[in-house]
Amino acid sequence: MTGVRFSQVNDNQLQWTLVSKTARFEEGETRIYFYSPKMDLFKDNKLTSKLKSETGFLNMIKKDAQLEKNVRVESNTDGMLLLTTRLFFSSEKNKIWTDDAVTIFKGNTVTQGRGFTANPDLSEIAITQQETTTLGGK
């Protein structure tokens, strides 16, 4: 399939959209596989975060997603940027997480760690192992 778009709406509130240049659906599976997926997350019908990666899949029954390879999360609410190699999203829990290494940029601060869980807008983040560095400004 090409030019694919999926959305989830609960109680007339847009929760997320996922668009992909191409997608593949295997007969008998509940997953749709994406190439160059872009996922937008919403709260109160307002865009809170943009996610993108090289590949990923959506479980059509659970409405959960997994993004892989050069995953990038940009928070629209506070300008935070998160980079990792694999990221999971749960519609039911409304959380994103990974057990992999993460790098978070916010202003002059760089936080690196391994394993994190967050709200989709990155407003609440829990990092399992972290190291924070403040960069000197000019």
Side-chain angles (χ1 to χ4, degrees):
M1 298 181 277
T2 59
V4 180
R5 180 185 175 100
F6 292 91
S7 298
Q8 180 172 339
V9 177
N10 294 343
D11 300 322
N12 291 324
Q13 297 285 316
L14 183 59
Q15 303 297 305
W16 55 263
T17 61
L18 191 151
V19 282
S20 182
K21 292 179 182 179
T22 60
R24 176 177 50 87
F25 182 74
E26 297 290 334
E27 186 174 337
E29 287 196 26
T30 60
R31 295 179 177 177
I32 296 179
Y33 297 89
F34 299 100
Y35 302 96
S36 298
K38 293 180 182 178
M39 191 169 191
D40 291 340
L41 305 177
F42 297 85
K43 183 176 181 181
D44 299 324
N45 284 325
K46 293 181 182 167
L47 179 64
T48 58
S49 295
K50 295 179 179 185
L51 291 68
K52 65 180 178 178
S53 67
E54 290 181 29
T55 64
F57 66 82
L58 176 67
N59 181 316
M60 293 300 294
I61 295 174
K62 294 183 177 183
K63 311 272 189 311
D64 292 347
Q66 179 175 321
L67 302 176
E68 296 181 330
K69 298 181 184 172
N70 296 315
V71 180
R72 182 181 181 98
V73 181
E74 296 179 39
S75 170
N76 274 21
T77 53
D78 61 9
M80 191 178 303
L81 171 65
L82 181 140
L83 304 175
T84 189
T85 55
R86 182 175 53 173
L87 184 74
F88 300 93
F89 168 72
S90 169
S91 287
E92 183 181 333
K93 296 176 185 176
N94 198 33
K95 295 285 183 189
I96 58 174
W97 71 92
T98 188
D99 293 327
D100 295 350
V102 296
T103 302
I104 301 169
F105 300 90
K106 183 173 180 184
N108 290 335
T109 304
V110 178
T111 303
Q112 294 182 317
R114 177 165 290 281
F116 95 106
T117 302
N119 290 346
D121 64 359
L122 302 180
S123 62
E124 294 179 24
I125 297 175
I127 299 175
T128 308
Q129 302 170 3
Q130 87 175 45
E131 176 183 308
T132 301
T133 305
T134 302
L135 303 174
K138 290 185 179 183

